[in-house]
Every structure is written in structure tokens, then in C-alpha cells.
Amino acid sequence: MNIAVVGSGYVGTTIAACFADLGHDVTAIDIDEDIVERLNRGEASIHEPGLDELLSEHAGGRLTATTDYDAITDCDVTFLALPTPSREDGSIDASIIEGGARSVGEALSGGSEEHLVVVKSTVVPGTTEEALIPAIEDGAGEAVGERIRVGMNPEFLREGSAVTDFLEPDKVVLGASDDWSHERLESVFEPLIERAEPAVVEATVREAEMIKYANNAFLASKISLINEIGNVCKEFGIDAYRIADAIGLDDRIGEQFLRSGVGWGGSCFPKDVDALRAAAREAGYEPELLDSVVAVNDRQPERMLALLEKHVDVEGARIAVLGLSFKPGTDDIRNSRSIPAIEGLVERGADVVAYDPVATENMRELFPDVEYADSASEALSGADGTLVMTDWDEFAALGDAFEGMASPVVIDGRRIVEPSESITYEGLTW
Ligand SMILES: NC(=O)C1=CN([C@@H]2O[C@H](COP(=O)(O)OP(=O)(O)OC[C@H]3O[C@@H](n4cnc5c(N)ncnc54)[C@H](O)[C@@H]3O)[C@@H](O)[C@H]2O)C=CC1
Ligand SMILES: O=C(O)[C@H]1O[C@H](OP(=O)(O)OP(=O)(O)OC[C@H]2O[C@@H](n3ccc(=O)[nH]c3=O)[C@H](O)[C@@H]2O)[C@H](O)[C@@H](O)[C@@H]1O
């Protein structure tokens, strides 16, 4: 099958490489010439384990990249993997994907072959029908529903494990409004379904859109709930991880996403929970529980600072911040919990020294005046306290490095540091 993928970011590049690996002929389209050139050389512009290997195997063969939307005319299916950022008020800004949908329509105008356009981006229920289909129609100069049809196929991959998440999913959600579109979507996924045997969910377009938000809102809520329970545990001197291990044994709860601590960040949970809250409000429903899910998350970095202040007079003190990315395995700092932590330290007059194995340069753009160390030991050397913000494996093996601190106060937001008698150790929820 000939597939076009519009947008070559985390999702677009991953699915383009994986579709090629599954045996399809793939054309990746992006407006960024540098991204396109690199893809044609077999290189990704994002870091994901296994991605460069797939690209170097298929670039120039089953995978080509271009900035020209007209390449779509030779394809059977086009996936839209374009950004859907938040507006200031948290609601979704669909302008980029609307522009992409219009360009796809223009490329298809005047053609005679049947074509399925699939929305891969995360969009609030109703967006495909109310904004994207009209944009395609506008570009194509013909109504959607006959020659050109539209489906929705949400993506559940995680950064840091994008390739394996895509190739070994728990489920594939195929959203469409007619049998032809469902069948064409199924043909795209047939090699993956045969190989990985995921559950296949046939849904309407609106249901597919909502499944994605429900999935992310549920996971973010699960973390906020265990964080709230963890905060209560801390008050009672109970280790929340022992409680999580026990409740996770109940199949109805499940053991995953029960790691309590400083909370969730990244490019999607915050954006998607906010977009769902805004869409609910616009529809006349007050999403009180989701509001609280965000409020609990926002509070966790402050709780770490309060724990630090129990042991250290922060004003004028040298405080090390270990871990800057929103989770280990990535240099992505979008909505990282380290950001409010550093802000809080700076507000209190601390002298901040930060370290991350890969995300330093990204954080330097945001906080150019903060000092950045080349290693965790260097950051800890002479520090009066440290906040551990990301669960990088290397922080589990710091041991002696804490002895170089002026006063070894360790506030752990991720339960990654091994407590010992030589340090003053506080876990956030244990
Ligand atoms: N990053 C993730 O882990 C996941 C993201 N998603 C969703 O997938 C969508 C895409 O997200 P990412 O891949 O992270 O975005 P991204 O920001 O990494 O990549 C978007 C790409 O689109 C390109 N682009 C922008 N405007 C364009 C246009 N008019 N025509 C062609 N290319 C254009 C950009 O140059 C960039 O390469 C979003 O809706 C996101 O919520 C869904 C699941 C996981
Ligand atoms: O829509 C998206 O973009 C993606 O968002 C998340 O993926 P991602 O943001 O890459 O990362 P996660 O591994 O889910 O972690 C998100 C945040 O939650 C935190 N987290 C995760 C798990 C946990 O038990 N506790 C916890 O605090 C992490 O530290 C991180 O800050 C979802 O897991 C993906 O299914 C989804 O496709």
C-alpha cells in the first residue's frame, strides 16, 4: 500500500519508519527542509531507540521524504501527524492541522483515485468532522464522503519507547464512518495486526477522538490519585510504594502508573488534560475531577520545596537539581517538573546548580542564569541540599557522591536514590 505521512515529528517519523518496516511504500511530508533531507539520508531528527536503524534500512527504498504535498496523489492513504498545541486558555489550537488538511485537499483536487485521509494527531471530539473535513473539502473543491474519505486513528506511543510501542500496541483504534474506510484502515494495519495481535477497536470518528483523551486523562488521573494517596501516606509515616505494590495486585487497579512522586509532565498529558477540560467547559460541563487532577500535579513540586525547607535555609544556599527532562530516556523538558522546582528555588533566593545527562542544553535556553554541572557529582559538590527530579538510572548509583555535599540533604521526588545513614533523606511520598 502507498502511504503518505504528513508531519515528521515524534509520531510522524515513527509511524513512517514503522509502516515502511511493515512492508508499505511510505512518503513522509514535512515543511522543514532539514528534517526532510535528514530523513532521506536515513537519519531521524528526534532521538528514539531503534528509529535510526529502521530509517537507514528503508530510506531511499520503501521510505522517501519530501516537502511537496503533491506526492500524496500517488498514495492510497494519508496520515496527518501534525502538532495540536494548547492555546493560552488550555483549549486545543487546531490551526496547524487545519492548514495541513487544506493542503492535503488541494493536492487531491481534480484527481480520480479513491483516497483515505486519516487523522493521527490528538484532536478533541468533533474536530475532524467540524474543522478538518471542511478544510479538506475547501482545498479539494469537492465534498468528502465519495472519492475522498476521512478516518481517525489515535496514537498511544510514548516518547523513549516510540518504536516498540507502535509495533507492539495493546490496541489499535480504527475510527471511520463507513465500511470502505474501516476496511482501508484495516489493510494499513493488517501486517501489524498479524504480527503483534493487538485488540482491534472499530469506532466512529468521534469515539476514536475521545478514546485518546480518555486514555491520557485516565493515566494522568491515576498518577495524581496515587500522588494524593502518597501525600497522605507521608503524613502518616507510611511508604506509599508499599501501598501501591499491594493495591496494584488488584487486577481492577493494575500495577502500572502507580509510581508516586513529583508528578507528570511532558508534551501530552498536560496539553491533553487541559484540552479536554476546556472542551468540556465549552460544552457546558464542569470537569471538577480533572481540575483536581491538575491541581494535585501542580502542588507536588511545591511539596518538595517545603520538604527541603524543613532541613535547609534555602535563601543563599547552594541547591543541586538532579534531572531536568520530564522523564528518563529523553532530552525533552516540556512541562518537566524541574521547571517549577527551579522557579521556586530562584524565587527563594537559592543558588541553583543543575545537572541532567542529556537535557542540559534545552534547560539552559529556559534558565540561562542557572549554573549547569557536567556530572551529578559535580552538581552535588559543596551543595547544601539536592532535589532529585527525574528517575535517571545513574542517580540510583550516586552513593559516595552525596558525601561531597556541604550538608547532605536529599529530597527525592522519584524514589530513585538509595537512602543511607550518611545522608538526610526525605522521599516525597514515603
Ligand atoms: N509526542 C508523542 O509522544 C505523541 C504525540 N501525539 C500527538 O501527535 C501529534 C503530533 O505530535 P508530535 O509528533 O509530538 O509533534 P512534533 O512537534 O514532534 O512534530 C510535528 C512535525 O510537523 C511538522 N509540520 C508543522 N506544520 C506542518 C505542515 N503544515 N505541513 C507539514 N509538516 C508540518 C513540523 O515541522 C514537525 O516536524 C499531536 O497531536 C500530539 O498530541 C500522540 C501520541 C504520542
Ligand atoms: O499522548 C501522548 O503523547 C503520550 O503520553 C504519554 O506518554 P509520555 O508523555 O511519552 O510519557 P509517560 O511515560 O506516560 O510519562 C508521562 C509522565 O508521567 C510521569 N509518571 C509516569 C508513570 C508513573 O507511574 N508516575 C509518573 O509520575 C512521568 O515521569 C512523566 O513525567 C502516554 O503514556 C502515551 O500513551 C501517550 O501516547
Side-chain angles (χ1 to χ4, degrees):
M1 195 162 248
N2 284 326
I3 297 175
V5 178
V6 178
S8 303
Y10 277 97
V11 172
T13 308
T14 305
I15 70 169
C18 291
F19 281 146
D21 201 50
L22 290 165
H24 296 303
D25 288 310
V26 182
T27 307
I29 297 169
D30 202 285
I31 43 168
D32 186 321
E33 282 180 16
D34 182 48
I35 290 178
V36 166
E37 272 172 31
R38 289 179 70 173
L39 278 177
N40 281 325
R41 287 202 303 269
E43 281 171 29
S45 52
I46 51 156
H47 301 287
E48 279 298 329
L51 191 55
D52 276 334
E53 286 81 347
L54 287 184
L55 289 174
S56 61
E57 193 180 336
H58 299 296
R62 286 206 292 265
L63 177 70
T64 49
T66 176
T67 53
D68 185 3
Y69 272 79
D70 283 342
I72 287 169
T73 43
D74 298 326
C75 295
D76 308 297
V77 179
T78 297
F79 281 83
L80 287 172
L82 292 170
T84 49
S86 304
R87 291 202 196 98
E88 195 89 326
D89 64 357
S91 64
I92 183 180
D93 176 356
S95 58
I96 298 173
I97 190 166
E98 261 182 71
R102 189 166 292 106
S103 301
V104 168
E106 282 163 7
L108 293 173
S109 75
S112 55
E113 299 292 319
E114 289 178 316
H115 196 99
L116 180 67
V117 182
V118 183
V119 179
K120 189 59 155 165
S121 302
T122 303
V123 293
V124 293
T127 308
T128 300
E129 285 162 0
E130 287 152 27
L132 304 183
I133 289 179
I136 295 168
E137 290 176 331
D138 192 34
E142 69 176 77
V144 159
E146 291 288 328
R147 182 177 73 91
I148 305 170
R149 306 203 196 194
V150 173
M152 204 283 153
N153 165 235
E155 182 50 56
F156 304 98
L157 63 78
R158 286 164 298 177
E159 286 181 24
S161 53
V163 171
T164 44
D165 284 348
F166 183 78
L167 290 174
E168 296 162 25
D170 296 332
K171 61 178 177 290
V172 172
V173 177
L174 308 178
S177 52
D178 59 81
D179 291 345
W180 182 89
S181 306
H182 268 131
E183 277 160 27
R184 187 157 282 200
L185 256 177
E186 246 166 59
S187 320
V188 172
F189 282 95
E190 198 174 77
L192 187 147
I193 292 167
E194 272 175 18
R195 194 157 106 177
E197 298 181 348
V200 178
V201 180
E202 290 216 349
T204 64
V205 166
R206 252 169 210 262
E207 285 167 351
E209 292 170 327
M210 190 64 192
I211 288 167
K212 174 65 194 177
Y213 281 96
N215 219 89
N216 273 0
F218 209 96
L219 291 172
S221 304
K222 190 172 181 186
I223 301 169
S224 280
L225 181 54
I226 197 65
N227 282 343
E228 178 125 298
I229 288 170
N231 294 341
V232 176
C233 283
K234 182 77 183 174
E235 299 300 325
F236 285 106
I238 293 168
D239 178 348
Y241 277 68
R242 288 179 56 78
I243 305 309
D245 285 348
I247 62 173
L249 294 171
D250 188 325
D251 280 345
R252 294 168 302 176
I253 294 174
E255 64 183 8
Q256 292 193 58
F257 273 63
L258 286 180
R259 293 186 58 82
S260 56
V262 72
W264 39 272
S267 66
C268 288
F269 281 174
K271 158 176 96 66
D272 294 347
V273 175
D274 282 351
L276 185 57
R277 290 160 70 210
R281 279 214 164 84
E282 208 182 309
Y285 177 79
E286 279 300 310
E288 283 175 33
L289 182 54
L290 291 177
D291 289 349
S292 302
V293 162
V294 173
V296 169
N297 198 51
D298 287 345
R299 217 162 51 199
Q300 294 306 86
E302 268 302 319
R303 290 182 64 85
M304 274 188 85
L305 290 165
L307 273 180
L308 178 69
E309 284 177 311
K310 245 175 75 181
H311 301 279
V312 180
D313 185 3
V314 173
E315 192 175 354
R318 184 172 171 81
I319 306 295
V321 175
L322 298 188
L324 303 174
S325 58
F326 83 96
K327 67 173 188 180
T330 176
D331 64 354
D332 195 339
I333 60 157
R334 286 177 287 179
N335 286 299
S336 167
R337 303 291 76 205
S338 309
I339 297 170
I342 293 174
E343 278 167 354
L345 288 171
V346 170
E347 268 165 31
R348 288 164 172 79
D351 192 5
V352 179
V353 50
Y355 167 72
D356 189 280
V358 295
T360 301
E361 290 317 310
N362 288 337
M363 200 55 100
R364 199 193 295 276
E365 282 178 26
L366 210 58
F367 296 105
D369 298 333
V370 158
E371 183 183 334
Y372 294 91
D374 290 331
S375 68
S377 319
E378 189 188 317
L380 291 172
S381 175
D384 301 301
T386 185
L387 300 180
V388 182
M389 304 301 299
T390 313
D391 35 350
W392 285 104
D393 281 345
E394 65 172 80
F395 299 155
L398 282 174
D400 297 348
F402 293 115
E403 284 165 25
M405 295 177 74
S407 81
V409 175
V410 179
I411 313 297
D412 191 351
R414 296 289 183 188
R415 199 188 183 84
I416 185 74
V417 171
E418 195 59 46
S420 77
E421 290 199 343
S422 57
I423 59 175
T424 303
Y425 178 87
E426 289 265 13
L428 187 55
T429 56
W430 57 96

